[in-house]
Amino acid sequence: MTGAALFRIFLLASLFSFGGLGGLPILHQQLVDQTGWASEATFAQALAIGLISPGPNGLYVVSLGYLLLAWPGAIAAALALMFPPLLVLPMAAAYERLAHQRRVQSAVHALGLAVAGLVGYSAFAILRGTVSDWVGIGIALCVFALMTRTRIHVIVPLAFAGALGVLVYR
Amino acid sequence: MKPTRKPPGGAPATSIPLVQQWLSWMWIGATSFGGGAATLILIRREWVDRRRWIGAVAYDRALALSQVVPGITILALAIQLGRFARGYAGILVALVGLLTPSVVLTGALTAAFSAIQSLTLAHAALLGVAPGTGGLTAALALQVVVSAFSTGFPGWYRLRDLAIVAASIFAIAVLGWPAPVILIAALAAGAAIPERSR
């Protein structure tokens, strides 16, 4: 296993993924089934760290890279993640050229609406998957209220939620 | 510096100092605990609300375009904001600034994880944080829904807009379509039923 080989696999997965976790099936196939470089446990660990570390959840790939090849692996993953989103540049350029057409404006507005629907549904799905009791309902409501009504930093309510978790679930 | 091409949103590249942009991205990258929802909330607060480096409409459009390219949505958004603010130098500053603290912290957490893993305390803390990330995503959803509707046309167009939101939820929740298919279908629907010119 080399950094370059990992980079190629991470780049392939990122190129064929939409959203943070979309590349998971490709990575799993390449790293577990084909090369045997990673185990199921490695994946689970990387996904968990991706959730708690700062930044997009898709950075779980960085954790995976670290588990497989220490810092060179983490850096190979970070570099591989940087390239596919650059495709947004030609897309934005095309939009600029066509932005005066009302069909194009309308299409991009409709895209924004569909994104709103999908984010709304993912909020529902995450709440359904994470809230299992009254404490959870309280935590979710408090974080929601604080994030929509105050300018408080994200870290503060999450730190309180973590502390409450220690008190309640230990 | 060479003049940059006109970025999305129609405004010219700005004179926001690169150091300020870099510090802003580093701050977001280092403190956005709570996943993608936390990161998106922080980016909007920094760029739209607090520093007013980009208008809400241009920001929303950049976010929408970010959804239809491969890879991590937030990186595509950062690339567009960086380009808007300072052309290619802005893109470099955005990617390096946002990713450096996140990658270092993710690597360090991974290194420490085998030690943390055995502790029941850490597990209990995560059980508390998980519903918190649910609340965070709900807050992000409200923000995205409100801004998506605020740029629409009144009257019958509102009904069309509602139908698109409802159809996208139906497609993912009931039909189980993959998200990219739904987004492409929405693009097609928007082009098929156009609004008046803006």
Side-chain angles (χ1 to χ4, degrees):
Chain A
M1 188 195 321
T2 63
L6 272 184
F7 175 81
R8 272 198 300 276
I9 292 174
F10 288 148
L11 185 65
L12 180 79
S14 181
L15 263 177
F16 288 94
S17 75
F18 288 84
L21 303 183
L24 196 55
I26 297 178
L27 279 181
H28 192 273
Q29 197 182 32
Q30 294 271 330
L31 292 173
V32 181
D33 304 338
Q34 290 189 7
T35 59
W37 288 346
S39 66
E40 301 290 351
T42 318
F43 265 92
Q45 191 174 339
L47 280 167
I49 293 164
L51 284 179
I52 54 173
S53 65
N57 292 342
L59 291 188
Y60 80 90
V61 179
V62 171
S63 179
L64 194 59
Y66 185 93
L67 287 171
L68 298 179
L69 208 62
W71 283 109
I75 291 164
L79 289 176
L81 291 175
M82 279 167 66
F83 289 106
L86 284 169
L87 289 170
V88 80
L89 290 173
M91 174 163 287
Y95 174 78
E96 284 158 35
R97 272 200 301 281
L98 302 171
H100 60 278
Q101 295 188 15
R102 64 191 185 113
R103 281 188 193 276
V104 173
Q105 290 174 3
S106 177
V108 173
H109 178 60
L111 176 66
L113 290 163
V115 169
L118 295 186
V119 174
Y121 176 72
S122 70
F124 167 75
I126 291 173
L127 284 170
R128 195 180 50 187
T130 55
V131 174
S132 53
D133 56 16
W134 286 105
V135 178
I137 293 174
I139 289 174
L141 280 176
C142 284
V143 172
F144 176 77
L146 284 171
M147 294 320 294
T148 48
R149 300 192 167 269
T150 71
R151 323 262 343 131
I152 198 167
H153 195 285
V154 183
I155 285 183
V156 180
L158 286 186
F160 273 104
L164 197 62
V166 170
L167 290 176
V168 176
Y169 300 115
R170 189 167 47 161
Chain B
M1 187 187 159
K2 251 173 55 185
T4 46
R5 287 182 46 153
K6 221 170 112 185
T14 65
S15 58
I16 306 160
L18 278 174
V19 175
Q20 268 194 41
Q21 293 179 41
W22 180 70
L23 287 175
S24 169
W25 287 118
M26 290 276 283
W27 165 249
I28 295 167
T31 62
S32 50
F33 289 90
T39 318
L40 282 174
I41 287 175
L42 279 181
I43 294 176
R44 195 189 173 100
R45 277 190 179 177
E46 273 283 292
W47 279 70
V48 181
D49 302 336
R50 198 164 85 83
R51 299 180 184 267
R52 298 178 195 280
W53 283 344
I54 190 170
V57 173
Y59 177 89
D60 288 338
R61 195 157 51 219
L63 180 60
L65 287 175
S66 304
Q67 311 281 336
V68 284
V69 292
I72 298 179
T73 305
I74 290 167
L75 295 184
L77 175 67
I79 286 166
Q80 288 182 87
L81 295 183
R83 174 162 177 251
F84 175 85
R86 216 21 124 63
Y88 289 107
I91 294 173
L92 191 67
V93 160
L95 283 177
V96 174
L98 182 66
L99 281 177
T100 305
S102 300
V103 167
V104 169
L105 284 168
T106 304
L109 274 170
T110 313
F113 194 73
S114 46
I116 299 170
Q117 208 176 8
S118 55
L119 295 177
T120 48
L121 278 186
H123 183 66
L126 280 182
L127 282 179
V129 170
T133 57
L136 208 58
T137 313
L140 174 73
L142 182 70
Q143 193 180 72
V144 177
V145 168
V146 167
S147 61
F149 274 98
S150 68
T151 52
F153 275 114
W156 284 106
Y157 293 109
R158 287 255 182 261
L159 215 57
R160 183 203 71 155
D161 290 358
L162 265 177
I164 292 173
V165 174
S168 65
I169 293 174
F170 182 79
I172 194 156
V174 181
L175 303 178
W177 286 11
V181 175
I182 298 171
L183 296 175
I184 289 165
L187 275 170
I193 319 166
E195 299 151 354
R196 295 188 303 267
S197 204
R198 281 168 189 250

